[in-house]
Every structure is written in structure tokens, then in C-alpha cells.
Amino acid sequence: MHSSILSSIKTTMSEKNYATKSHADRLAKLSRKLGEELRLPERVIDEIELVSTLHDIGKISLDEKILNKPGPLNNEEWQEIQKHPEVGFRIANAISELQHLSEYILCHHERWDGTGYPQGLSGEDIPLISRIIAITDAFDAMTQDRPYRKAMSEGAAAAEIERNSGTQFNPDLAYIFTRKVLDGNY
């Protein structure tokens, strides 16, 4: 049953946006590597992989015109996008098999300096799994073409992660990600 629920959710997400599955797959691999570098227990790494796959579940509530808009979002569209962690939290919380992941989904757009959303959490008040997803999600988003911009090189994306270390990202995790997961080869 657990598998069929996840399969159904993943299918729905993929139908909404064709890039979702490949994004989730890349995120799961990067997040697993970061979890392994942190020497986290296998059970936690498995949770990280699952959250990587489901972190954007709340986007199923968004209009495809907003998700695939080729230009910048206006203020109203941006406000709609910012609701997806809360929608994802409610979806995960409504499914008993996913309830333990709901907080990580809610917090994946929080920022180390407290300027993220939806709660404005900062530092270690942000769950570790959410902090990991924030880095890997940002890196993958930067290195893939989007309707509104071309992809950056991995080196430029890694430099951006480092530049935002201590503001957007947990500095220790950002360092381990760019130097160990990416091997500093960019």
C-alpha cells in the first residue's frame, strides 16, 4: 500500500510537470551522497531520499501556467509558488505513511538566516533533512534549463552555493556539499 500511494503521488507530480521525475531522481542521488558524507544512519538517508522525491508535492496544486511560465513571475504568482511547502505539508500529513516527513517538506525553503518561507525559521531550527534538501534542490535547479532561463554550469552553481553559505544555506553543509559531494571538481 505504501508503495502504491507513493507511486500514485509521483505519477501525479510527473504529469503536472515533465521535469519533476528527473529532478527528483537527481535530488535523491545528491542528497544521498550528502547524507553519506555526513555519516548519517541509513534510515535517515532513506528518509532524505524519500523527501527528495516528495519535497515539491505541494506544486500539484499550482496552475501549470505558473509552473511553466517562460518569464519572471509577478508578485501574485510568486505568492502562489510560496504556498507549495504548506500544501505539501498538508498532503503528507494527511497520509499516515508520510506524516513523519511532513515537517521536512514544510521547511525545505527556509533559509539559514531566517529570511525563507513559510515560517521564517533560521539556523538549526530548520530540520537537518530540510537543510540538506535546500542545498541539493538549489544546485539541481541552477544546473538545469528552466522555461525562464538557461542552466548554469556545475562550477557556477557550486560557486553560488558557496556564495550563499551562511545566508541561504547552512555553512557546514554547503562546504561538505561543494567540497566532498561535488569533490571540488567544477
Side-chain angles (χ1 to χ4, degrees), residues 88-156:
F89 170 82
R90 288 193 301 273
I91 292 168
N93 217 24
I95 301 167
S96 61
E97 294 86 358
L98 301 179
Q99 285 176 345
H100 66 290
L101 305 176
S102 60
E103 183 182 10
Y104 309 135
I105 292 168
L106 178 66
C107 298
H108 78 275
H109 281 293
E110 299 291 352
R111 292 173 51 116
W112 186 253
D113 65 4
T115 62
Y117 61 91
Q119 300 176 94
L121 298 178
S122 64
E124 294 192 6
D125 289 340
I126 304 165
L128 175 62
I129 290 176
S130 300
R131 287 182 269 147
I132 289 170
I133 300 301
I135 292 170
T136 57
D137 186 32
F139 179 80
D140 188 68
M142 288 185 280
T143 57
Q144 301 301 311
D145 286 336
R146 296 296 168 113
Y148 51 89
R149 63 149 177 78
K150 290 287 185 192
M152 290 182 180
S153 69
E154 286 192 4

Side-chain angles (χ1 to χ4, degrees), residues 43-76:
R43 148 192 87 67
V44 175
I45 292 172
D46 289 344
E47 284 187 347
I48 292 168
E49 280 188 300
L50 189 52
V51 174
S52 295
T53 303
L54 300 174
H55 73 286
D56 278 340
I57 190 174
K59 286 186 177 179
I60 63 174
S61 70
L62 294 173
D63 186 327
E64 288 179 49
K65 291 176 188 168
I66 293 174
L67 285 176
N68 299 313
K69 186 174 179 180
L73 299 175
N74 64 36
N75 192 41
E76 183 179 300

